[in-house]
Amino acid sequence: GWLDVPNEMFYSLAMNFDMQSFFHKVVHDCFDAQQADGRVPSVAPYYMEVYGDAVNWGGAAILVPYRYWRHYGDSSLIRQYYPQMRRLFNHYKANTTGGLINNSFSVLSDWGQETAGVSPMVPTSFTETTTYYYLLRVMSEMAAELGHTDDAASYSTMADDVKTAFNKRFYDAATATYISVDGGGGRQGEQAMPLYYGLVPEGDEQRVADVLAERVRNDGYKIKTGEIALKPVFMTLAEYGYNDIVWQMANQTDCPSYGYWVRQGYTTTPEYWDVGAFSQNHCMMDHIEEWFYTHLAGIQNAEI
């Protein structure tokens, strides 16, 4: 029931299986579990409170309906659940300061990044704000589709404000580098998440991608993220001319890598890169699957 999976793995799942009925069930469970303050817990059906709040987990209740509409051309979920999505978004907004998600909001951040050797780790305020900004953009898009023009304009204005605040706090324009914490800067997740979710100032996108590509080369083509930043790494490298680097990353065999799991004899993918703890059958890191379809095979949905 962990909601990071249908959120982050939506396209990887949808490209392999007929997921329409399943996604309907996921969204129903999300809003069946919605709390009085608008929060959707990180697990649905709701049965535990551990790690109970995060934009990349509970936010599935907004992003699954949105992606369902964009992938299948079916707006039924956004039409049915728009009021509940507004309540959830307002919960996240209440946990921001100056447009940024509060660092104390969630301990999940880029879950699993420490097992890839990320130090210091990318903090919650950075990871969750990138997705919070994306939620604003998709809420505006869905509101416009449903005819809620005032909502659409309000969300769009808030998105612009968040983008400005985020770049003022984290972006070094001179070097096209994102710095989330002292001792960090220019790491894979830091470069990829703002690029993937559209936070990079217009005209700087290729520069940010070039810094990301150079960082991956310097990292020996090893994966240096947890689950939330991993898809942005693969997909932005591919989008900005670095499919060869993604290919190199996919073919590594030392930890952390997919090949390392194979060398350890795994026939299912574990939760952590170092395989030592938690779930031993978990798909949350498997974002290479989306790259297989959309870039290696070149199968992508047209805009609707």
Side-chain angles (χ1 to χ4, degrees):
W2 290 102
L3 293 175
D4 54 324
V5 173
N7 176 19
E8 296 293 325
M9 297 295 296
F10 181 99
Y11 294 113
S12 294
L13 292 166
M15 290 170 182
N16 277 281
F17 305 103
D18 179 357
M19 297 294 295
Q20 289 178 270
S21 294
F22 181 83
F23 287 139
H24 268 269
K25 176 64 161 60
V26 167
V27 178
H28 176 82
D29 287 345
C30 284
F31 290 117
D32 185 56
Q34 190 168 32
Q35 306 294 293
D37 62 357
R39 174 175 68 102
V40 170
S42 297
V43 180
Y46 178 52
Y47 71 97
M48 63 181 296
E49 185 57 33
V50 177
Y51 310 133
D53 209 356
V55 175
N56 288 298
W57 276 252
I62 293 172
L63 291 174
V64 170
Y66 172 76
R67 289 172 175 145
Y68 187 93
W69 168 45
R70 302 298 293 172
H71 187 76
Y72 295 110
D74 179 350
S75 62
S76 59
L77 286 173
I78 69 172
R79 293 182 185 281
Q80 181 176 356
Y81 290 108
Y82 180 76
Q84 293 92 323
M85 288 191 284
R86 287 184 78 251
R87 290 181 58 221
L88 173 58
F89 177 81
N90 289 337
H91 166 70
Y92 294 138
K93 182 183 176 184
N95 284 279
T96 64
T97 301
L100 307 180
I101 293 287
N102 298 326
N103 210 37
S104 59
F105 174 62
S106 175
V107 300
L108 288 165
S109 188
D110 187 15
W111 183 255
Q113 60 180 307
E114 70 278 11
T115 72
V118 180
S119 180
M121 289 189 286
V122 179
T124 292
S125 59
F126 188 94
T127 302
E128 302 250 325
T129 300
T130 60
T131 309
Y132 175 69
Y133 170 76
Y134 186 59
L135 289 181
L136 278 163
R137 289 176 55 198
V138 304
M139 286 296 293
S140 179
E141 192 175 337
M142 290 187 291
E145 172 69 12
L146 299 176
H148 303 304
T149 55
D150 288 347
D151 281 1
S154 177
Y155 289 130
S156 181
T157 298
M158 281 191 281
D160 291 342
D161 292 343
V162 169
K163 184 172 184 175
T164 298
F166 184 87
N167 286 312
K168 182 178 180 180
R169 169 66 178 83
F170 296 117
Y171 186 53
D172 180 358
T175 60
T177 299
Y178 280 91
I179 305 168
S180 69
V181 65
D182 291 344
R187 294 174 297 174
Q188 292 183 23
E190 290 170 313
Q191 295 299 109
M193 284 186 281
L195 192 57
Y196 182 76
Y197 288 115
L199 282 150
V200 175
E202 186 176 357
D204 279 9
E205 294 89 350
Q206 189 64 54
R207 294 175 62 221
V208 171
D210 293 345
V211 173
L212 169 61
E214 186 61 22
R215 181 60 184 240
V216 175
R217 291 191 193 100
N218 291 338
D219 287 336
Y221 300 99
K222 299 293 191 300
I223 293 167
K224 293 293 182 179
T225 76
E227 62 163 315
I228 302 303
L230 184 56
K231 178 167 65 173
V233 168
F234 290 152
M235 302 308 287
T236 55
L237 285 170
E239 184 69 23
Y240 289 93
Y242 292 108
N243 272 306
D244 59 315
I245 290 182
V246 183
W247 178 256
Q248 291 275 11
M249 297 177 81
N251 280 278
Q252 299 302 306
T253 58
D254 294 332
C255 186
S257 70
Y258 295 113
Y260 176 73
W261 289 342
V262 175
R263 286 180 56 203
Q264 300 307 302
Y266 274 70
T267 56
T268 56
T269 55
E271 182 172 359
Y272 279 173
W273 293 115
D274 59 11
V275 309
F278 290 11
S279 173
Q280 304 300 293
N281 183 9
H282 214 72
C283 69
M284 71 178 202
M285 297 287 196
D286 295 354
H287 299 296
I288 196 66
E289 187 78 1
E290 185 174 336
W291 179 79
F292 286 157
Y293 277 90
T294 60
H295 288 276
L296 189 62
I299 302 170
Q300 300 183 27
N301 276 9
E303 289 295 314
I304 59 172

